[in-house]
Amino acid sequence: MQMIDVKNLKYTYNKNKQALQGLSFHVKDGEIFGFLGPNGSGKSTTQKILTGILKGYSGHVSLLGQETKAVNAQDFFQEIGVLFEFPYLYTNLSAIENLKYFASFYNSERIRDINELLNLLEVKKEFWNKPVSSYSKGMRQRVSMARALISNPTVLFLDEPTSGLDPAGTVLFRKIIQEERAKGTTVFLTTHNMADADLLCDRVAFIANGSIVALDTPKNLKEKNSSHHVAISFLYQGKREDRTIEAIQLDAGIPFLHDEIISIHTQEPTLEDVFIQYTGRGLS
């Protein structure tokens, strides 16, 4: 089943600026789909349309099999959870108070236990009842993720989910996202963090200047753009040496004299290398 279906999506902010140039893609049920692009590429506009914030687009956009222009807003928002790039919380309220307030917008049978969520996201208990204004950026991000998960969404939209987190927090968020997918949640992920995209996403789309320039699995994108060379470090007659050869040469064995092989590494490009090849620009 296609959870999200987009065909020939166009959006214009004014007569001189067409933000989206006719996007077409789909996201499968239970898939983690990465949507990657540099600033100003159109990814935020796309996410705002998918989450029902922006109207006035042309083309076809459906979520859960329903055209987003025609859905009942109250029913539509019951099904989605959104983590915005910048934490959207009431800073004069505590984590508990924020989550109780946001939970009040959803049907009670959907709501997850607030204490369990805060424990899952490793929010320190001594801060649960303190105002969010006293929290670090990373702690606000954790509570914002709890806000996105509070309604047990069918589709989860994540915009820069690991922004502001330390390495342990980043690993925790990746684990939680994978657990959400494992229980059937569809995840639409926009990020500048290529490691997140590479480790988490089933497929990624690269967007530049309002158009999708590549769409495939991270593995396929890297393999398609690989030089198919390997770098070999070895010892020969007491000296360490390095040599780069075509991978196919290994079919017949190591094609040079050596006493000991120290390491063999493929020279596969990173996902960010591939992104730059397609767009000519880095993510930041």
Side-chain angles (χ1 to χ4, degrees), residues 89 94-100 112-130 132 135 139-147 149-150 172-173 176:
L89 301 165
S94 68
I96 295 282
E97 291 166 333
N98 265 282
L99 294 176
K100 283 183 177 178
R112 294 176 66 168
D113 183 271
I114 289 174
N115 289 358
E116 287 181 5
L117 267 180
L118 291 175
N119 279 320
L120 175 69
L121 285 152
E122 298 181 1
V123 179
K124 295 177 181 177
K125 231 172 190 176
E126 60 264 31
F127 283 92
W128 288 12
N129 291 297
K130 291 183 179 180
V132 168
Y135 294 5
M139 282 185 62
R140 293 186 191 202
Q141 192 74 350
R142 291 169 190 256
V143 178
S144 292
M145 179 62 115
R147 176 188 180 276
L149 296 173
I150 191 72
L172 174 66
F173 267 45
I176 290 170

Side-chain angles (χ1 to χ4, degrees), residues 33-261:
F33 186 85
F35 202 65
L36 313 177
N39 293 334
S41 60
K43 60 183 187 299
S44 293
T45 300
T46 304
Q47 180 156 297
K48 287 176 182 176
I49 291 171
L50 294 177
T51 54
I53 296 171
L54 270 184
K55 308 291 184 183
Y57 61 85
S58 65
H60 164 79
V61 178
S62 69
L63 188 79
L64 294 158
Q66 297 185 7
E67 179 73 30
T68 54
K69 286 180 180 176
V71 295
N72 177 291
Q74 189 171 359
D75 294 337
F76 177 76
F77 289 116
Q78 293 291 318
E79 299 292 339
I80 69 172
V82 183
L83 174 65
F84 298 97
E85 180 177 3
F86 302 103
Y88 182 66
L89 301 165
Y90 291 99
T91 56
N92 59 320
L93 300 180
S94 68
I96 295 282
E97 291 166 333
N98 265 282
L99 294 176
K100 283 183 177 178
Y101 174 71
F102 290 116
S104 70
F105 292 102
Y106 299 98
N107 297 331
S108 58
E109 63 270 15
R110 299 190 70 101
I111 301 304
R112 294 176 66 168
D113 183 271
I114 289 174
N115 289 358
E116 287 181 5
L117 267 180
L118 291 175
N119 279 320
L120 175 69
L121 285 152
E122 298 181 1
V123 179
K124 295 177 181 177
K125 231 172 190 176
E126 60 264 31
F127 283 92
W128 288 12
N129 291 297
K130 291 183 179 180
V132 168
S133 59
S134 66
Y135 294 5
S136 67
K137 184 178 179 182
M139 282 185 62
R140 293 186 191 202
Q141 192 74 350
R142 291 169 190 256
V143 178
S144 292
M145 179 62 115
R147 176 188 180 276
L149 296 173
I150 191 72
S151 64
N152 215 17
T154 306
V155 185
L156 184 59
F157 291 92
L158 302 177
D159 193 358
E160 303 294 348
T162 58
S163 174
L165 297 176
D166 59 20
T170 297
V171 171
L172 174 66
F173 267 45
R174 289 174 184 160
K175 178 174 176 284
I176 290 170
I177 292 167
Q178 289 169 330
E179 288 172 350
E180 283 297 307
R181 189 263 296 278
K183 71 181 190 183
T185 307
T186 302
V187 181
F188 188 89
L189 173 68
T190 59
T191 183
H192 283 92
N193 188 321
M194 278 295 187
D196 285 348
D198 203 354
L199 291 169
L200 291 171
C201 294
D202 299 298
R203 291 183 301 143
V204 295
F206 294 158
I207 180 172
N209 300 317
S211 298
I212 291 177
V213 294
L215 198 166
D216 209 332
T217 67
K219 180 181 178 181
N220 285 347
L221 285 169
K222 288 184 290 184
E223 287 182 352
K224 286 176 186 175
N225 293 276
S226 173
S227 64
H228 302 292
H229 284 75
V230 294
I232 303 175
S233 295
F234 61 98
L235 291 175
Y236 182 59
Q237 295 182 344
K239 290 178 60 178
R240 177 170 177 152
E241 298 185 36
D242 299 291
R243 191 171 297 185
T244 299
I245 64 172
E246 292 186 15
I248 197 169
Q249 291 180 262
L250 289 177
D251 287 348
I254 303 296
F256 50 78
L257 295 175
H258 62 280
D259 296 321
E260 180 184 344
I261 297 295

